[in-house]
Amino acid sequence: MIEHLNTAPFKHAFETVDGLRLHYVTCGSQDAEPLVLLSGYPQSWFTWRRVMPLLADRFRVVAIDLPGQGDSDKPLDGYDTGTVARRVHGLVARVGLTHYNLEGSKNYWLMYLGFDFGLLAC
């Protein structure tokens, strides 16, 4: 497993949404079905580091550091569900995904796999 992790082609990137700089990490083929991973507080994309290479065989994986976590900006406010959902949806749109699968870690408030995040933000 460690060897597989060390060779995983993780790509780190940033996008600005609502004035916040958000960090995300991708792996897998750009043409594959997208899978967005969210981790619970106080974790970051690093929570997913061991499963990302395995998922990358089938998915285009995008692991997001939510606001206040990992390498994303840490605003003083805006941690309510609606604001976080809007920012995540904005980030995913900037990455170029219109439809995607979504998974959250066991500590996260959102556990909908295959649910369009845009509906939640409305």
Side-chain angles (χ1 to χ4, degrees):
M1 183 75 135
I2 298 295
E3 293 80 20
H4 195 58
L5 175 61
N6 291 337
T7 61
F10 293 139
K11 295 177 186 170
H12 294 258
F14 292 89
E15 290 289 343
T16 301
V17 177
D18 289 345
L20 291 181
R21 187 171 176 238
L22 300 176
H23 175 251
Y24 64 99
V25 180
T26 62
C27 70
S29 170
Q30 292 285 99
D31 299 326
E33 183 178 351
L35 175 63
V36 176
L37 302 175
L38 304 176
S39 35
Y41 180 82
Q43 302 160 340
S44 69
W45 81 272
F46 200 69
T47 299
W48 301 103
R49 72 191 181 283
R50 296 193 186 274
V51 290
M52 286 176 69
L54 304 173
L55 293 169
D57 292 339
R58 180 171 172 210
F59 297 99
R60 174 184 178 191
V61 181
V62 180
I64 299 173
D65 282 347
L66 295 172
Q69 296 175 214
D71 291 322
S72 288
D73 282 350
K74 289 136 182 83
L76 294 177
D77 58 9
Y79 294 100
D80 59 281
T81 304
T83 302
V84 172
R86 188 181 72 250
R87 289 173 174 162
V88 168
H89 185 66
L91 172 63
V92 171
R94 290 184 69 81
V95 171
L97 304 178
T98 55
H99 292 84
Y100 47 89
N101 298 297
L102 182 66
E103 181 63 58
S105 68
K106 67 179 180 176
N107 295 329
Y108 199 61
W109 48 266
L110 185 59
M111 296 295 288
Y112 299 109
L113 181 59
F115 190 85
D116 184 354
F117 209 93
L119 294 176
L120 202 87
C122 292

